[in-house]
């Protein structure tokens, strides 16, 4: 495609060449390691070689004495800064504090123990090797299975449960599942993955007076600046974060973590600019990873393949220090969202282990599509229904909407069924089936996989970091347009796509628009690339800001040119007055007057040509897609060759098809890696097994086919009609490919739902015999962790704790503490899955009736309930984030209260409180 | 620690330096000569991001020591575009075909394709695609890189078979 699209009016929808490419192709980008500051020193970390143990002693003397070394920092140096590491949601990351450098104990291989500062990285690494740490090694907890029975990874925690939600067995649901004509149960296992951006993590920090200046490779300088301000919590500290070019992120770089924070604090401590650039070994060992999860799904159908009910039991390995302890609730929110599912439930848990912590990775909830779409194919096979047909019988169509899912998601314009129809227009399934049958006779195994999904994009307004996006636009006195944005690109090309939107809306040439982002001192807060949101929200902000600015141009021009504002248009940077050619002016001429001659402006008009708009879209904008993939499997080698891959996605109005297709293709390549190649495994001692790119196999050009695209383009209800597209390929890709492999191998039996499907796993199915002993990493019954004795002791302790807080055990002391102590004001904390929430309760008692008000950051709500002895019960309906009835069941004992809050489908949360 | 005097040409300019024996070429180019377009992705010769051209051949600068380039002509990605800013044909093809997203692996991709297509050589598309299998790109799924490689092959010689 050429760039000659300037003069035909619209650039939205065109494959405009990216503005970023001119610098990136010539080596003139500015990545964090390209930034050099005077007096800059370099950091190397001393890391734990064991997965779990006690630090007996650290001897830094030899390291400190090495010429060129300026300091060796240990927890004693950094702890006084009292840094609080937070999750992406700005809540405490875990229920126990996350240390910057390991103090007393190490919890995974790669755990940073000390930090060497030297004049160059070579010397820093030399010195790091001279730090002598004496460890007392303990048996590690490695797998989810280990975590379930081992004593806690973190002293101070009751168990290895990092987060829990939902109900393990709900009587009504159990009845529906048990009584169904057909019940399918499978366990799906997803291996651990490394996000593997080509640019590793890195930071350069310097404190200049009261300003902390941080260059860091990240997904949003604005979010990092806010995060640092909260985590450091220092008076008189202003924070500026810069990240011009970022070499991919994929969720890993949402916010700083232990190493980046150590470097930032170290620079404040030493008063020198400090730089740390993660090497690839560190990235594969000590950067947070993602996905290690397993889910047992039970799904019930009637005889015709219609869905009746489902339950999913999900576990996620959180590692030692996740960037937010979590049980991945989104998996359950979206698993059946695109389908007519009458009844569903879930139980979901996150587990701590002695492995590197869990982080985000493109489509973090994608396990839902993998489980659902692969199991739909298995059900179709077992019920002798075509896999396309079983989907058609259950998908939510245009005619079914608006509707609300059992999890409370309102749907009004999803198009998965329509995407499937469009996909089937470009792939001849019956011809494929005929070819497949003929090929099988010759010993060739072809397979077709199809998968369908919807994806929440552009989320805003319901979670602290997920705000609207801001566009600040200026028509400069030169007539050129400058945009300062809250968006940020790590390859997304927002400097180009935002310019396309602005150019169209303003009536100027694409080449005349320059978008600046990547600096927290420009634009305003936004979380950047997180949740397929920038096109939707940033694009909307550009349109609204440009509309305001254009209005001003018209008003100013009309006044200067003595014309009717309605008669004025702006086209390709030229201001035209309808029917008055002599009044034609360039934008520059108008702008020069607007800035330089305020007396010529309409009365009460601010000089200049500037406008700003912060756009808040609807809470969620859904994107839908259907994909198809054809594979050929070599039955002698187990190798999978992808022959064709078709994507039909509906991401609404497309700003730049090349960028949209690039996002889909990138996600699909990562999906291919996840299904066939990548695995960040551990052995039974918690040693990582993939520590270079020779062991961690990323897809190469030879592993990825040419993708074919069909764009459905149903405009969304967001400004401009955009829908997000950043994560979709990584979500829908894995089930599409697994389904194709399973279809190819159906003559041999059922493909295990366990990733990656390596040639060995495939040959095991074809040859019907085990070809390897299970790798140690996959073995659950390792001898090392947790003798049965200690596991029992842990259970006994848990039982004891439960008894202590139960009403029965407190009844005696409470009997002489009735209404006299219930009334009044209580400071309470509800342990929600996204962190502790503070609530103030004001209670009044009238006999057995309890009346009161709960106040929190979200507002206040009154309620009425009952009192029985010292036990309080009431129900409250809330509508945000979705309609739920909260059932409180609390027990008062003296000046303390405790109990549970049942939150509908989401299970129960503990509540504790004290009299104010 | 051993120090060595070396003399080499970088992007057409003669340069003298004293380097430690253990210093990798990529670190030397980035830190000592300011060629920050040389990107270090894996330090094991797998990802190809650090590829530069030495005496006409594409070389992984993370697997070579600076001292080994004494007397050599080194070209980095900064040395390809014309002085007036006009892109090298490889750069232009990657731009036209949207072969770039984050741009971190890009300099290596550019240098391998340039080494194979510059001068009288006439590699076919398979040769270029085989060479591209030595470059890891995590963003693009290789779609634009493949299109660019095929375009360069058809321009310089045999059509894609």
């Amino acid at each position: 495609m050429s760039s000659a699209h300037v003069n035909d009016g619209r650039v939205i929808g065109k494959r405009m060449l990216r503005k970023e490419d001119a610098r990136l192709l010539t080596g003139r980008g500015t990545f964090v390691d390209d930034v050099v500051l005077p007096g800059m020193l370099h950091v190397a970390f001393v890391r734990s070689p064991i997965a779990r143990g006690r630090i007996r002693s650290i001897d830094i003397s030899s390291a400190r004495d090495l010429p060129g070394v300026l300091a060796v920092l240990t927890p004693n140096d950094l702890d006084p800064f009292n840094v609080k590491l937070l999750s992406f949601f700005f809540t405490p990351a875990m229920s126990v504090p996350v240390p910057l450098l390991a103090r007393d104990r190490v919890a995974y291989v790669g755990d940073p123990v000390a930090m060497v500062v030297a004049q160059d990285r070579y010397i820093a690494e030399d010195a790091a090797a001279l730090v002598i740490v004496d460890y007392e090694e303990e048996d590690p907890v490695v797998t989810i299975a280990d975590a379930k029975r081992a004593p806690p990874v973190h002293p101070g925690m009751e168990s290895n449960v990092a987060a829990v939600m939902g109900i393990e067995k709900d009587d009504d649901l159990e009845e529906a599942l048990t009584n169904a004509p057909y019940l399918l149960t499978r366990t799906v296992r997803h291996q651990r993955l490394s996000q593997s951006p080509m640019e590793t993590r890195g930071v350069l920090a310097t404190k200049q007076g009261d300003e902390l200046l941080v260059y860091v490779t990240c997904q949003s300088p604005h979010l990092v600046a806010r995060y640092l301000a909260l985590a450091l919590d220092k008076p008189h500290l202003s924070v500026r974060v810069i990240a011009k070019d970022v070499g991919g992120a994929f969720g890993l770089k949402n916010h700083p973590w232990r190493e980046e924070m150590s470097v930032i604090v170290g620079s404040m401590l030493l008063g020198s600019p400090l730089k740390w650039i993660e090497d690839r070994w560190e990235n594969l060992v000590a950067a947070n990873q993602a996905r290690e999860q397993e889910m047992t799904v039970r799904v019930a159908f009637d005889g015709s393949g219609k869905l009746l009910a489902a339950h999913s039991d999900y576990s996620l390995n959180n590692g030692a220090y996740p960037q937010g302890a979590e049980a991945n609730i989104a998996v359950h929110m979206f698993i059946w969202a695109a389908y007519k599912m009458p009844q569903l439930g879930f139980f979901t848990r996150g587990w701590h282990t002695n492995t590197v912590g869990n982080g985000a990775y493109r489509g973090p909830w994608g396990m839902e599509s993998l489980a659902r779409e692969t199991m739909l194919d298995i059900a179709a096979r077992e019920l002798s229904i075509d896999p396309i047909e079983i989907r058609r019988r259950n998908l939510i169509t245009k005619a079914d909407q608006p509707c609300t899912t059992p999890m409370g998601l309102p749907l009004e314009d999803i198009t998965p069924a329509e995407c499937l129809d469009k996909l089937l227009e470009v792939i001849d399934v019956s011809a494929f089936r005929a070819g497949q049958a003929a090929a099988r006779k010759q010993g060739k195994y072809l397979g077709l996989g199809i998968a369908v999904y919807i994806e929440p994009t552009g989320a805003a307004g319901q979670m602290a970091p997920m705000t609207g996006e801001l566009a600040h636009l200026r028509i400069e006195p030169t007539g050129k347009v400058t945009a300062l944005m809250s968006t940020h690109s790590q390859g997304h090309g927002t400097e180009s796509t935002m310019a396309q939107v602005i150019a169209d809306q303003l009536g100027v040439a694409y080449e005349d628009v320059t978008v600046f982002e990547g600096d927290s001192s420009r634009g305003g807060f936004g979380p950047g690339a997180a949740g397929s949101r920038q096109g939707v929200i940033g694009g909307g902000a550009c349109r609204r800001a440009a509309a305001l600015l254009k209005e001003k141009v018209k008003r100013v021009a009309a006044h200067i040119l003595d014309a009717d504002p309605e008669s004025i248009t702006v086209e390709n940077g030229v201001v035209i007055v309808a029917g008055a050619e002599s009044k034609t002016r360039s934008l520059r001429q108008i702008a020069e007057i607007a800035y330089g001659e305020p007396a010529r402006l309409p009365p009460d008009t601010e000089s200049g040509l500037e406008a700003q708009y912060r756009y808040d879209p609807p809470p969620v904008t859904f994107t839908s897609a259907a994909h198809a993939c054809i594979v050929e499997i070599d039955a002698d080698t187990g190798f999978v060759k992808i022959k064709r891959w078709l994507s039909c996605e509906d991401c609404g109005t497309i700003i730049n098809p090349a960028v949209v297709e690039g996002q889909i293709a990138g996600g699909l390549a990562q999906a291919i890696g996840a299904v066939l190649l990548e695995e960040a495994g551990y052995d039974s001692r918690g040693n990582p097994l993939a520590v270079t790119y020779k062991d961690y196999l990323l897809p190469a050009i030879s592993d990825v086919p040419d993708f074919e695209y069909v764009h459905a383009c149903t405009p969304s209800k967001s400004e401009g009609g955009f829908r997000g597209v950043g994560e979709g390929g990584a979500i829908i890709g894995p089930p599409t490919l697994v389904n194709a492999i399973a279809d190819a191998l159906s003559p041999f039996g059922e493909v295990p739902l366990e990733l990656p499907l390596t040639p060995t796993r495939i040959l095991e199915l074809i040859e019907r015999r085990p070809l390897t002993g299970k790798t140690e990493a996959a073995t659950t019954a390792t001898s090392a962790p947790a003798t049965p004795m200690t596991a029992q002791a842990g259970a006994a302790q848990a039982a004891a704790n439960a008894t202590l807080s139960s009403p029965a055990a407190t009844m005696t002391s409470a009997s002489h503490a009735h209404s006299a102590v219930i009334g009044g004001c209580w400071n309470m904390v509800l342990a929600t899955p996204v962190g502790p929430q503070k609530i103030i309760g004001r209670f009044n008692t009238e006999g057995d009736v309890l009346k009161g008000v709960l106040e929190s950051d979200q507002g206040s709500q009154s309620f009425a309930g009952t009192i029985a002895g010292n036990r309080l019960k009431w129900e409250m309906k809330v509508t945000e984030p979705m309609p739920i009835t909260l059932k409180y069941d609390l027990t008062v004992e003296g000046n303390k209260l405790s109990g549970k809050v049942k939150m509908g489908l989401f299970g129960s949360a503990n509540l504790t409180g004290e009299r104010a | 620690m051993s120090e060595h005097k070396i003399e080499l040409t970088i992007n057409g300019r003669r340069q003298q330096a004293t380097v430690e024996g253990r210093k990798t070429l990529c670190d030397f180019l980035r830190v000592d000569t300011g060629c920050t377009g040389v990107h270090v992705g894996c330090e094991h010769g797998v990802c190809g991001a650090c590829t530069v051209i030495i005496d006409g051949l594409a070389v992984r600068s993370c697997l070579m020591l600076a001292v080994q380039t004494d007397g050599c002509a080194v070209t980095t990605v900064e040395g390809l575009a014309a002085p007036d800013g006009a892109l090298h044909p490889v750069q232009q093809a990657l731009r036209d075909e949207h072969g770039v997203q984050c741009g971190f692996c890009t300099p290596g991709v550019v240098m391998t394709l340039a080494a194979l297509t510059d001068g009288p050589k006439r590699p076919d598309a398979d040769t270029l695609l085989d060479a591209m299998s030595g470059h890891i790109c995590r963003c693009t799924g290789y779609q634009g890189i493949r299109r660019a490689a095929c375009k360069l092959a058809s321009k310089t010689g045999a059509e894609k078979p």
Side-chain angles (χ1 to χ4, degrees):
Chain A
M1 291 292 152
S2 77
S3 62
H5 292 300
V6 181
N7 294 317
D8 64 351
R10 282 181 64 83
V11 289
I12 281 195
K14 297 211 166 78
R15 293 172 191 269
M16 303 306 289
L17 296 187
R18 295 195 334 163
K19 291 172 179 283
E20 296 87 343
D21 292 2
R23 67 174 185 270
L24 295 174
L25 278 159
T26 51
R28 307 293 179 182
T30 308
F31 297 85
V32 60
D33 195 21
D34 304 339
V35 181
V36 173
L37 294 177
M40 180 175 87
L41 301 171
H42 298 262
V43 169
F45 286 96
V46 179
R47 296 183 182 278
S48 170
I50 61 167
R52 176 180 175 128
R54 202 172 64 80
I55 298 171
R56 286 200 197 97
S57 63
I58 302 181
D59 179 358
I60 61 169
S61 53
S62 305
R64 201 185 39 210
D65 293 344
L66 191 74
V69 171
L70 287 106
V72 180
L73 304 180
T74 64
N76 288 340
D77 302 303
L78 304 190
D79 284 356
F81 283 81
N82 196 22
V83 174
K84 292 175 200 70
L85 285 176
L86 306 170
S87 73
F88 177 68
F89 301 100
F90 307 119
T91 53
M94 291 170 51
S95 59
V96 295
V98 179
L100 297 189
L101 299 174
R103 170 176 279 284
D104 304 328
R105 298 182 60 78
V106 290
Y108 59 95
V109 171
D111 200 339
V113 171
M115 186 175 129
V116 176
V117 180
Q119 67 188 40
D120 72 32
R121 177 67 176 254
Y122 284 73
I123 294 171
E125 290 191 19
D126 288 345
L130 294 174
V131 173
I132 299 164
V133 186
D134 185 19
Y135 297 98
E136 183 180 317
E137 191 174 0
E138 299 168 6
D139 290 331
V141 177
V142 181
T143 64
I144 290 169
D146 290 346
K148 287 180 178 174
R149 54 196 187 80
V153 164
H154 295 296
M157 286 186 68
E158 281 180 18
S159 72
N160 285 316
V161 175
V164 59
M165 258 183 148
I167 301 162
E168 195 162 11
K169 280 205 161 62
D170 178 289
D171 291 344
D172 292 347
L173 187 65
E174 290 304 319
E175 198 181 319
L177 293 169
T178 319
N179 295 338
Y182 171 61
L183 177 67
L184 177 68
T185 303
R186 289 291 182 277
T187 297
V188 186
R189 290 194 174 80
H190 199 309
Q191 81 279 39
R192 178 184 287 245
L193 298 177
S194 158
Q195 300 90 336
S196 276
M198 293 314 297
E199 180 199 31
T200 56
R201 294 183 297 164
V203 61
L204 167 57
T206 181
K207 189 157 174 282
Q208 304 172 336
D210 285 341
E211 183 184 305
L212 175 66
L213 174 61
V214 177
Y215 296 85
V216 61
T217 179
C218 67
Q219 292 174 214
S220 163
H222 298 285
L223 187 135
V224 173
R226 180 171 168 186
Y227 186 101
L228 292 178
L230 294 172
L232 293 166
D233 194 20
K234 288 251 180 293
H236 312 300
L237 183 72
S238 72
V239 181
R240 182 178 178 194
V241 175
I242 298 176
K244 181 162 170 124
D245 290 305
V246 173
F250 313 115
L252 174 64
K253 301 174 183 174
N254 261 330
H255 59 80
W257 201 232
R258 301 175 67 197
E259 286 87 347
E260 295 98 317
M261 290 302 301
S262 296
V263 172
I264 290 165
V265 169
S267 78
M268 293 165 77
L269 182 71
L270 299 176
S272 295
L274 294 193
K275 180 189 267 189
W276 169 68
I277 304 298
E278 186 177 53
D279 67 27
R280 186 57 65 183
W281 174 80
E282 290 182 289
N283 181 258
L284 286 166
V285 170
N288 281 30
Q289 300 175 338
R291 291 287 200 276
E292 186 184 339
Q293 51 196 330
E294 55 188 46
M295 176 152 76
T296 299
V297 178
R298 294 178 292 153
V299 53
F301 298 83
D302 72 9
S304 69
K306 275 195 158 171
L307 293 163
L308 296 176
H311 184 272
S312 26
D313 183 344
Y314 170 93
S315 280
L316 172 68
N317 192 334
N318 275 224
Y321 298 113
Q323 284 179 295
E326 70 157 343
N328 215 340
I329 184 70
V331 168
H332 309 284
M333 297 278 289
F334 299 110
I335 182 164
W336 298 105
Y339 289 83
K340 286 170 247 179
M341 171 59 83
Q343 204 178 349
L344 65 88
F346 67 87
F347 188 47
T348 193
R349 287 172 292 180
W351 300 93
H352 284 304
T353 60
N354 291 113
T355 62
V356 72
N358 181 59
Y361 182 39
R362 205 175 199 169
W365 61 92
M367 184 72 161
E368 46 85 31
S369 281
L370 178 65
R372 177 192 64 246
E373 295 297 316
T374 54
M375 287 183 66
L376 279 175
D377 266 27
I378 294 171
R381 219 169 279 130
E382 295 204 349
L383 293 170
S384 299
I385 303 172
D386 184 89
I388 294 163
E389 186 53 33
I390 201 169
R391 289 180 170 81
R392 282 201 167 130
R393 283 180 199 173
N394 291 291
L395 276 170
I396 292 170
T397 65
K398 213 176 249 178
D400 298 316
Q401 300 173 75
C403 59
T404 304
T405 72
M407 294 283 285
L409 288 173
L411 302 175
E412 47 183 13
D413 61 353
I414 66 166
T415 57
E418 291 74 17
C419 286
L420 179 60
D421 288 342
K422 277 200 163 66
L423 179 77
L424 293 171
E425 286 169 16
V426 290
I427 182 165
D428 187 339
V429 175
S430 52
F432 169 80
R433 292 290 173 212
Q436 181 185 39
R440 275 185 192 166
K441 285 180 187 153
Q442 297 163 10
K444 282 173 67 177
Y445 295 93
L446 301 175
L448 167 65
I450 286 178
V452 183
Y453 88 124
I454 63 168
E455 172 194 8
T457 74
Q462 296 190 324
M463 291 174 276
M466 305 303 255
T467 62
E469 296 281 347
L470 182 122
H472 168 96
L473 301 188
R474 303 196 293 260
I475 297 171
E476 305 284 1
T478 58
K480 307 279 191 196
V481 177
T482 300
L484 305 184
M485 297 293 303
S486 58
T487 53
H488 190 233
S489 169
Q490 303 94 59
H492 305 81
T494 38
E495 284 177 32
S496 304
T497 50
M498 295 301 117
Q500 283 178 259
V501 176
I502 293 163
D504 264 12
Q505 198 73 0
L506 220 45
V508 300
Y510 172 66
E511 284 73 5
D512 287 345
V513 182
T514 304
V515 173
F516 290 101
E517 41 183 31
D519 183 338
S520 68
S521 69
R522 297 167 175 164
F525 181 82
S532 304
R533 66 198 311 284
Q534 303 199 97
V536 181
I537 314 178
C542 286
R543 278 176 58 93
R544 294 274 177 95
L548 289 176
L549 186 50
K550 193 166 182 179
E551 196 48 48
K552 183 165 187 187
V553 169
K554 284 185 178 182
R555 205 154 41 81
V556 167
H559 187 78
I560 295 169
L561 301 170
D562 192 21
D564 177 0
E566 295 307 310
S567 68
I568 291 178
T569 54
V570 184
E571 287 169 30
N572 203 18
V574 178
V575 179
I576 298 162
V577 182
E581 211 175 302
S582 64
K583 292 183 174 179
T584 298
R585 298 286 185 279
S586 68
L587 259 185
R588 175 180 172 170
Q589 287 172 301
I590 302 294
E592 281 174 344
I593 296 167
Y595 284 92
E597 300 175 67
R600 292 178 64 187
L601 300 180
D604 300 325
T605 299
E606 196 181 356
S607 67
L609 290 176
E610 294 145 342
Q612 175 168 311
Y613 195 89
R614 174 170 283 276
Y615 174 58
D616 284 286
V620 178
T621 297
F622 282 101
T623 293
S624 309
H627 282 222
C629 163
I630 292 174
V631 299
E632 179 174 346
I633 297 175
D634 185 324
D636 292 327
T637 63
F639 273 72
V640 175
K641 175 82 187 161
I642 302 169
K643 297 172 78 78
R644 238 188 128 182
W645 195 306
L646 300 99
S647 154
C648 176
E649 106 297 326
D650 189 348
C651 71
T653 303
I654 289 180
I655 299 172
N656 185 329
V659 170
V660 165
E661 290 165 11
Q663 287 296 312
I664 297 169
L668 289 179
Q670 289 173 334
I672 291 168
V675 173
L676 300 178
L677 297 164
E678 300 174 31
E679 179 159 26
Y682 284 91
D683 73 9
S684 63
R685 298 302 295 172
N687 293 301
L689 296 172
V691 302
T692 71
Y693 277 167
K694 295 179 181 187
D695 332 300
Y696 192 81
L697 304 179
L698 292 164
I701 195 168
S702 44
D703 299 307
V704 182
D706 288 330
F707 298 119
E708 301 164 54
Y709 310 94
V710 179
H711 300 300
C713 305
T714 311
S716 72
K717 301 212 163 30
S718 301
E719 174 73 32
F722 313 129
R723 298 173 191 267
V725 74
E727 289 159 291
I731 298 171
I732 197 63
T736 308
L737 181 51
V738 172
N739 282 349
I741 294 168
D743 183 49
L745 296 180
S746 59
F748 300 103
E750 190 178 309
V751 168
L753 298 176
E754 186 167 350
L755 301 185
L757 291 174
T758 56
T760 308
R761 281 215 172 103
I762 286 171
L763 282 180
E764 282 180 338
L765 177 69
I766 291 174
E767 300 185 6
R768 292 191 172 85
R769 64 193 175 100
L771 292 171
T772 58
K774 277 218 158 211
T775 65
E776 284 183 288
T779 308
T780 50
T782 52
S783 59
T787 64
M789 190 70 87
T790 51
Q792 277 168 10
Q797 184 60 47
N801 291 341
T803 315
L804 276 177
S805 60
S806 79
T810 52
M811 197 59 88
T812 27
S813 60
S815 58
H816 43 94
H818 187 203
S819 55
V821 293
I822 290 172
C825 183
W826 295 83
N827 291 326
M828 307 187 292
V829 177
L830 180 64
T832 77
V834 291
Q837 189 191 2
K838 286 184 186 163
I839 302 172
I840 296 170
R842 298 180 199 283
F843 300 165
N844 288 312
T845 58
E846 295 170 21
D848 290 343
V849 177
L850 174 71
K851 288 190 172 173
V853 179
L854 296 190
E855 295 165 7
S856 73
D857 292 347
Q858 272 81 49
S860 70
Q861 195 172 350
S862 56
F863 66 90
T866 58
I867 305 170
N870 61 337
R871 196 156 173 195
L872 319 178
K873 285 189 179 185
W874 73 91
E875 295 187 2
M876 290 173 92
K877 285 190 182 356
V878 295
T879 52
E880 297 291 335
M882 62 183 60
I884 294 180
T885 300
L886 303 176
K887 295 180 181 173
Y888 287 78
D889 184 348
L890 307 178
T891 303
V892 174
E893 190 187 356
N895 286 326
K896 299 202 167 183
L897 61 75
S898 64
K900 286 191 182 301
V901 182
K902 191 157 184 288
M903 308 178 291
L905 279 169
F906 298 98
S908 295
N910 288 328
L911 185 147
T912 54
E914 288 185 358
R915 186 175 290 281
Chain B
M1 253 152 275
S2 61
E3 298 278 338
H4 305 266
K5 270 196 123 167
I6 58 172
E7 216 178 306
L8 70 163
T9 308
I10 300 172
N11 295 329
R13 294 181 193 166
R14 283 175 54 192
Q15 198 142 345
Q16 283 190 335
T18 304
V19 294
E20 229 185 287
R22 64 175 177 171
K23 188 161 220 167
T24 60
L25 177 58
C26 58
D27 284 346
F28 170 70
L29 290 171
R30 286 185 54 80
V31 177
D32 296 13
T33 78
C35 293
T36 53
V38 179
H39 291 165
V40 185
C42 77
E43 294 167 273
H44 277 79
V46 179
C47 79
C50 67
T51 304
V52 298
I53 297 176
I54 299 179
D55 296 337
L57 293 175
V59 169
R60 306 217 151 180
S61 62
C62 73
L63 295 185
M64 193 162 176
L65 297 171
V67 67
Q68 292 174 283
T69 58
D70 188 26
C72 293
V74 177
T75 308
T76 71
V77 72
E78 288 95 338
L80 285 190
D84 69 355
L87 295 179
H88 182 278
V90 166
Q91 293 167 323
Q92 191 62 51
L94 281 164
R95 189 173 198 200
D96 291 344
E97 294 301 334
H98 287 271
V100 183
Q101 280 187 29
C102 81
F104 199 81
C105 74
T106 303
V109 169
V110 167
M111 297 315 284
T112 293
L113 287 173
L116 293 173
T117 57
D118 271 350
K121 290 157 280 186
R122 289 281 182 269
D124 61 12
D126 278 353
T127 305
L128 294 184
L129 292 174
D130 283 351
M132 285 299 100
S133 73
H135 287 268
I136 302 292
C137 168
R138 191 58 157 166
C139 292
T140 65
Y142 305 102
Q143 305 294 296
I145 295 173
R146 184 184 284 128
R147 287 192 299 268
C150 291
K151 205 173 186 180
L152 290 163
S154 60
K155 266 188 189 162
T156 51
E159 291 296 318
K160 191 185 175 190

